[in-house]
Amino acid sequence: MRYFRPTSLDEAIAIKAAQDVTVLAGGTDVYPVRTARRAWGDPAHKPILDITAIPGLRGITEETCGWRLGALTTWSDLAAADLPPLFDGYRRAAREVGGLQVQNLGTLAGNLVTASPAGDGIPNLMALDAVVEVAGQGGTRTLPVQAFSTGYRSTALTADEIVTALIVPKLDGARSTFLKLGARKYLVISIAMVAAVVATDEAGTITAARIAVGACSAVAQRLSALESALIGKPLASAAGLVSADHLAALNPIDDVRASAAYRRVAAETLVRDALADLASPAARRAA
């Protein structure tokens, strides 16, 4: 097995373009996958491309139109950052991902690139309407998070591309939340999860809504019909407007953690709970 640790983005891109490598940022997803493949009798391992020595890829900065989260920014960095209520849901996810060791090493971009249906960060990024910045031999491009995840553990990255940042646009009057259901509180793979962002005017009327469900389809999904139905409605009554029809596009599976039917009901309940959470006096004070 070969191991590369370039000190520039251009060098990293050239290596990735030349051969099939596994990109390592935090390593919290890489090691378990490699161990599992060995247990399955697969001795072949790709070369490792460690991008942790590349400068400028870590940190959260506020820009004119939003926030830039570097690809090497960790869950702990996010949890400790001074950010507005728009990020409350994403920061809650950061505090619930694995244990402290995972939070200290695992990266926000790595969680996205792994493209697990149960990745806690992905529905949050969808609800935040985030954009993914990637760099390759042809230059830098951006694409919406919803277009980045193309299927189960697959992404829109080309062979030479590396994620360099996540960009979250500003949204006036917005706050967010994140709820997930698992067999226990910590160190758990979610049965279902919901991330929600709402913006309201001074009267408490919803002016924007973004709701994404994870672990209930091959990729996380936005509930566009529900989002549209919530516009112009009081946030205080939003939870009561949720129906099973709003989640009809989900395609949950039966597995060892839960049945598809249970996941569908759980997701609907979590959506209601998330909207109720956002309407609570505590959430209003935070905003």
Side-chain angles (χ1 to χ4, degrees):
M1 183 190 75
R2 303 188 68 188
Y3 176 84
F4 302 96
R5 194 167 189 259
T7 55
S8 74
L9 183 59
D10 287 344
E11 183 184 0
I13 291 170
I15 292 169
K16 193 168 188 288
Q19 57 190 298
D20 187 13
V21 296
T22 295
V23 177
L24 185 148
T28 57
D29 287 324
V30 171
Y31 178 75
V33 170
R34 291 171 71 88
T35 303
R37 286 177 178 167
R38 181 173 295 173
W40 298 334
D42 178 9
H45 291 312
K46 296 180 183 179
I48 293 293
L49 175 58
D50 182 346
I51 64 171
T52 59
I54 300 173
L57 293 185
R58 183 170 180 177
I60 300 174
T61 55
E62 183 176 359
E63 301 178 344
T64 303
C65 297
W67 290 266
R68 180 184 178 87
L69 290 65
L72 295 179
T73 303
T74 67
W75 293 110
S76 292
D77 293 337
L78 175 61
D82 182 15
L83 292 165
L86 173 64
F87 284 88
D88 283 355
Y90 202 15
R91 295 178 69 214
R92 180 180 290 183
R95 293 188 291 268
E96 295 182 2
V97 169
L100 287 175
Q101 298 93 331
V102 169
Q103 294 168 20
N104 288 338
L105 287 175
T107 63
L108 307 183
N111 182 259
L112 176 64
V113 173
T114 297
S116 166
D120 289 1
I122 299 173
N124 281 283
L125 289 169
M126 285 187 172
L128 288 167
D129 209 23
V131 172
V132 187
E133 179 188 272
V134 301
Q137 290 185 311
T140 300
R141 67 183 179 114
T142 59
L143 64 163
V145 167
Q146 287 178 269
F148 184 83
S149 297
T150 57
Y152 176 77
R153 295 191 180 276
S154 66
T155 73
L157 285 174
T158 61
D160 63 314
E161 288 182 326
I162 294 172
V163 174
T164 51
L166 307 171
I167 300 168
V168 176
K170 293 183 178 180
L171 180 62
D172 292 338
R175 51 191 181 272
S176 67
T177 192
F178 172 69
L179 300 176
K180 68 177 180 178
L181 175 66
R184 54 184 184 268
K185 179 64 175 175
Y186 295 104
L187 302 175
V188 62
I189 299 175
S190 298
I191 293 171
M193 67 182 88
V194 171
V197 170
V198 297
T200 58
D201 60 19
E202 293 182 357
T205 300
I206 296 173
T207 56
R210 306 172 191 148
I211 303 168
V213 176
C216 289
S217 299
V219 296
Q221 292 195 34
R222 287 266 297 266
L223 304 182
S224 56
L226 175 59
E227 293 172 357
S228 298
L230 291 175
I231 303 300
K233 304 297 194 301
L235 178 56
S237 61
L241 301 177
V242 180
S243 73
D245 289 343
H246 292 133
L247 288 81
L250 300 181
N251 187 27
I253 62 170
D254 295 310
D255 65 10
V256 295
R257 290 187 296 278
S259 67
Y262 181 84
R263 277 192 163 92
R264 192 175 292 280
V265 173
E268 184 180 341
T269 300
L270 287 175
V271 171
R272 288 198 185 97
D273 289 348
L275 290 170
D277 184 32
L278 289 169
S280 70
R284 290 196 295 273
R285 284 196 298 272

